[in-house]
């Protein structure tokens, strides 16, 4: 299967852009802010909250990082103006993390302050393992400076995550817990799916023990069932957690969570660089190409069978 996934990724650049656009339109709201607003409005109408991500690639200059921060301020403005139920998700590399940590901090401060002025919340996405220390460091700095409308992401597939939870809980952080999308060296990352799940559940337990708010970000049936069991055993209400999913991924599973009374937030990426972003993510993690290919073929076959 891994070979097939990698073959799909190699073939992708040869697939005509309009075809990639049709396939990716399920997972990406569109190229501009208006597309994101319409997507979030639709999700809100179905009882789902959102977090909006501005897609960007290859940030090389200070001016580009400042433009990114301004783009997020526009998103926050649109969320308030359109009265949407949505926060934002930011990648620190887009704000300059790999150029200059101080520049990144300034951009992040600007975005977090703008969000606070609107009564909104900023989630700092977690990127590849070269950024983990700096991301957690900046998160701690913000919180110690009294900025509370900000949360972070931890990746259960990293061996360090259980320790990161322990090191963070004094801040009572709002954490999005996910498996982690980046493929890292086995020395620092669990590869066995069951080890990743065990780390996920261990981290979830530790975060809930410490009274942290957790965004349980997964589409994995086993983790969803286990998490629901843990939440029920602890008698936790929806002020203590929410489920989170990616736009277009297993939406029927998300519908079921909402119908059961859970809060659900959908990650909504948009941006002019949707094509570059899609290719890069697929190259980083070819198994996603397999998921998308299987899903696309399944939906085509489903339609042929008359079950849309
Ligand atoms: P798993 O990979 O086992 O997927 C379960 C099933 O879901 C698959 O069998 C497939 O059917 C479907 N599926 C999952 N991903 C799919 C996809 N992309 N396309 C189509 N089908 C898919 N990672 C990270 O490193 N940093 C981050 O900040 C975030 N942020 C984030 C936010 C939110 C809201 C979510 C849901 C996820 C992330 N992730 C992330 C990604 C996360 O780490 C992980 O890669 C994916 O969620 C897939 O892992 P699952 O737990 O869903 O399990």
């Amino acid at each position: 299967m891994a070979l097939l996934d990698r073959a799909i990724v190699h073939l992708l650049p040869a697939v005509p852009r309009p075809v990639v656009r049709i396939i990716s339109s399920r997972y990406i709201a569109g190229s501009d802010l208006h597309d994101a607003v319409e997507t979030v409005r639709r999700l809100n109408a179905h009882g789902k909250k959102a977090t909006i991500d501005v897609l960007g690639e290859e940030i090389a200059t200070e001016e580009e990082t400042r433009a990114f921060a301004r783009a997020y301020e526009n998103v926050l403005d649109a969320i308030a103006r359109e009265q949407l139920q949505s926060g934002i998700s930011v990648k620190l590399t887009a704000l300059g993390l790999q150029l200059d940590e101080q520049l990144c901090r300034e951009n992040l401060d600007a975005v977090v302050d703008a969000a606070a002025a609107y009564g909104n919340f900023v989630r700092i996405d977690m990127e590849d393992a070269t950024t983990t220390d700096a991301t957690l460091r900046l998160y701690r700095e913000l919180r110690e400076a009294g900025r509370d409308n900000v949360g972070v992401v931890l990746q259960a597939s990293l061996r360090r995550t259980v320790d990161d939870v322990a090191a963070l809980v004094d801040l009572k952080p709002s954490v999005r817990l996910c498996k982690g999308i980046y493929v890292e060296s086995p020395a620092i990352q669990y590869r066995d799916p069951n080890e990743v799940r065990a780390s996920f559940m261990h981290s979830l337990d530790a975060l809930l023990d410490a009274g942290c708010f957790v965004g349980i970000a997964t589409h994995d049936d086993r983790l969803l069932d286990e998490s629901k069991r843990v939440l029920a055993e602890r008698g936790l209400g929806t002020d203590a957690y929410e489920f989170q999913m990616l736009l277009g991924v297993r939406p029927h599973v998300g519908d079921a969570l909402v119908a059961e009374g859970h809060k659900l937030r959908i990650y909504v990426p948009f941006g002019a660089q949707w094509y570059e972003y899609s290719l890069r993510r697929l190259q980083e993690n070819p198994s996603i190409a397999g998921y998308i290919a299987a899903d696309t073929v399944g939906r085509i076959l489903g339609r042929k069978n008359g079950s849309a």
Side-chain angles (χ1 to χ4, degrees), residues 66-89:
R66 304 243 184 244
F68 237 93
R70 285 195 296 278
Y72 271 108
E73 288 169 31
N74 290 338
V75 172
L76 288 162
D77 188 56
I79 291 171
R81 200 177 52 245
E82 304 289 338
Q83 299 184 327
L84 302 175
Q85 290 199 298
S86 181
I88 58 171
S89 284

Side-chain angles (χ1 to χ4, degrees), residues 80-107:
R81 200 177 52 245
E82 304 289 338
Q83 299 184 327
L84 302 175
Q85 290 199 298
S86 181
I88 58 171
S89 284
V90 301
K91 289 192 171 46
L92 293 190
T93 54
L95 298 181
L97 186 65
Q98 281 160 334
L99 296 179
D100 172 2
E101 196 167 318
Q102 185 53 33
L103 167 70
C104 179
R105 172 68 201 266
E106 284 170 28
N107 283 323

Side-chain angles (χ1 to χ4, degrees), residues 120-166:
N120 209 330
F121 187 82
V122 179
R123 175 74 58 191
I124 303 173
D125 286 345
M126 189 59 84
E127 301 177 70
D128 70 68
T130 63
T131 67
T132 313
D133 284 332
T135 302
L136 295 178
R137 184 162 59 239
L138 283 169
Y139 174 68
R140 176 170 285 281
E141 281 177 28
L142 283 180
R143 291 295 311 284
E144 288 179 348
R147 292 179 169 88
D148 289 337
N149 62 321
V150 59
V152 73
V153 177
L154 292 175
Q155 299 156 321
S157 63
L158 293 191
R159 297 178 190 273
R160 61 177 284 167
T161 288
V162 171
D163 294 333
D164 286 336
V165 171

